[in-house]
Amino acid sequence: MKLYHHPLSGHSHRARLFASLLGLDAELVEVDLLAGEHKQPAFLALNPLGQVPVLVDDEGTVVADSNAILVYLARKHGRTDWLPEDAVGEAAVQRWLSVAAGELAFGPAAARLVTVFGSRHNPQEVIARAHALLANLERHLQHRDWLVGNGPTIADVALYSYLSSAPEGNVDLDAYPRVRALLSRIENLPGFVPFVETAAGLRAAA
Ligand SMILES: N[C@@H](CCC(=O)N[C@@H](CS)C(=O)NCC(=O)O)C(=O)O
């Protein structure tokens, strides 16, 4: 299968990470976002929204959107450990996928867009949103090792890339030991692949 991605995109890393955790071979096809390749007809035919990542599997099925890719790969490969089938378990995972597309995207991911890509978000606003999410996660993890159930699910994968890179957006993780422990647990899973680090934000000073 092919994964259209950009190495600095956390959404892309999310999809790449899960494929690797499942032990699947994905040919990485880099989309030149700086040159606007994602807005050209060839790429828009894959994803009319003009965003990476997009997965094209060996049968030609096209799946755009990082969270949709996680769901697709888990279901296609029958991995109910990563995406439960029961109503309560699936809803619990979906709740975090919504957080990944909401508070995470508009909090830590947006804060990193400011420092890494020069986007025009208001830094104070997005950093404050990131800390509100982190405080919430820290409370959620008080008596649990994983976001849902007793083992890793796609909920944890969906949050990993933009939580681990939050310091690049000047979002300090020091006050959130349980969140940092969750990130370490994911990093210790067989098949883990790291998200490329950039010397931005707090990492510039490190
Ligand atoms: N909801 C999408 C968001 C993907 C997204 O925002 N991708 C960014 C890179 S991290 C992108 O392609 N941006 C280019 C653009 O929107 O023009 C997903 O989860 O895949």
Side-chain angles (χ1 to χ4, degrees):
M1 65 187 178
K2 288 185 178 174
L3 182 66
Y4 291 81
H5 85 130
H6 189 279
L8 295 182
S9 152
H11 291 99
S12 297
H13 178 259
R14 181 184 299 174
R16 180 179 175 214
L17 171 60
F18 189 50
S20 181
L21 290 171
L22 291 187
L24 303 171
D25 272 336
E27 178 192 337
L28 297 178
V29 182
E30 186 167 333
V31 179
D32 190 345
L33 299 183
L34 282 181
E37 191 185 347
H38 55 310
K39 304 300 179 192
Q40 297 304 313
F43 187 80
L44 292 173
L46 295 175
N47 181 5
L49 292 183
Q51 294 178 327
V52 289
V54 174
L55 180 90
V56 181
D57 76 9
D58 294 339
E59 295 79 45
T61 303
V62 178
V63 186
D65 187 276
S66 59
N67 290 339
I69 293 169
L70 302 188
V71 169
Y72 176 76
L73 290 178
R75 282 286 180 257
K76 184 176 181 199
H77 295 279
R79 298 302 299 263
T80 52
D81 48 343
W82 287 96
L83 177 57
E85 273 177 323
D86 66 288
V88 171
E90 187 169 355
V93 168
Q94 178 56 55
R95 177 185 166 224
W96 291 109
L97 299 186
S98 298
V99 169
E103 287 84 349
L104 186 80
F106 296 103
R112 179 176 168 277
L113 279 179
V114 173
T115 54
V116 176
F117 294 102
S119 91
R120 290 196 192 158
H121 294 283
N122 175 333
Q124 275 182 329
E125 189 181 313
V126 293
I127 289 172
R129 198 176 290 135
H131 282 293
L133 170 61
L134 285 160
N136 215 294
L137 282 168
E138 192 69 12
R139 271 194 302 278
H140 180 76
L141 291 166
Q142 200 167 359
H143 301 297
R144 51 174 71 239
D145 283 347
W146 303 97
L147 290 176
V148 177
N150 297 320
T153 65
I154 61 170
D156 304 289
V157 178
L159 267 65
Y160 175 80
S161 315
Y162 286 123
L163 287 179
S164 65
S165 59
E168 293 176 14
N170 289 313
V171 176
D172 198 342
L173 295 178
D174 277 4
Y176 310 105
R178 294 187 194 103
V179 171
R180 286 188 280 111
L182 173 66
L183 298 178
S184 297
R185 270 179 218 112
I186 296 168
E187 286 157 9
N188 284 320
L189 292 171
F192 173 80
V193 281
F195 185 24
V196 164
E197 291 190 8
T198 61
L202 301 176
R203 280 190 180 146

